[in-house]
Amino acid sequence: MSLAAPCTPFERIAARYIRYRHSMGYHFVSQASYIGILCRFLSARHARDLVQARFEGWSRSLDYLHGGARRAAQYIIYNLCRYRRRTEPHCFVPNPLYFALRRPYRSPVIVTPADVAKILQTVETLPPRPPFP
């Protein structure tokens, strides 16, 4: 499947969107590659259009990426769907509230009074420096 010869309605919209972004002066190479990945994903499943379940499946297929990269890829498709909605008001647009997190949450650490005392003892052993007497 190539976006140079789109054969499904979604691929035609995707190709038109990529041409539009190029015409606006955007380089749009890595973004276009994510759109191509989604089109190949849909084509492998014989899907002609993007719906919630297929978008979630495609998002899960990107689990090898870091959360920030996965979120960026999801936003690329989100912007494509928003572009599509201008001419097709009832088309699917993913909800960004459910996109991957930029980075995983850190587990909370409970600091005990003994830990605080140890930190203060360590700070007292450090030599003074001009900006921090």
Side-chain angles (χ1 to χ4, degrees):
M1 194 284 316
S2 169
L3 288 180
C7 55
T8 67
F10 185 79
E11 290 173 4
R12 284 192 283 278
I13 293 290
R16 192 172 75 205
Y17 178 65
I18 292 169
R19 284 193 306 273
Y20 165 73
R21 297 298 287 192
H22 282 278
S23 73
M24 297 298 289
Y26 292 101
H27 194 53
F28 213 69
V29 172
S30 63
Q31 295 92 337
S33 69
Y34 279 114
I35 293 171
I37 290 168
L38 174 63
C39 288
R40 285 189 295 279
F41 178 86
L42 294 174
S43 177
R45 283 146 187 83
H46 305 290
R48 297 182 53 78
D49 205 356
L50 183 65
V51 294
Q52 178 71 36
R54 292 184 192 123
F55 179 77
E56 290 172 0
W58 174 76
S59 294
R60 281 190 303 276
S61 76
L62 300 177
D63 278 348
Y64 64 93
L65 295 174
H66 186 270
R70 206 167 47 249
R71 183 179 181 88
Q74 290 169 325
Y75 261 102
I76 292 166
I77 305 308
Y78 171 75
N79 289 328
L80 165 63
C81 292
R82 286 183 52 214
Y83 169 83
R84 181 181 182 190
R85 183 160 278 182
R86 294 176 187 170
T87 56
E88 300 175 31
H90 301 293
C91 72
F92 166 73
V93 176
N95 187 343
L97 292 176
Y98 301 107
F99 287 2
L101 299 175
R102 288 190 184 113
R103 61 184 81 85
Y105 288 116
R106 288 189 173 162
S107 299
V109 177
I110 298 174
V111 181
T112 65
D115 293 333
V116 173
K118 186 175 179 181
I119 291 170
L120 292 174
Q121 286 174 351
T122 304
V123 168
E124 288 176 357
T125 65
L126 296 174
R129 293 186 301 170
F132 309 105

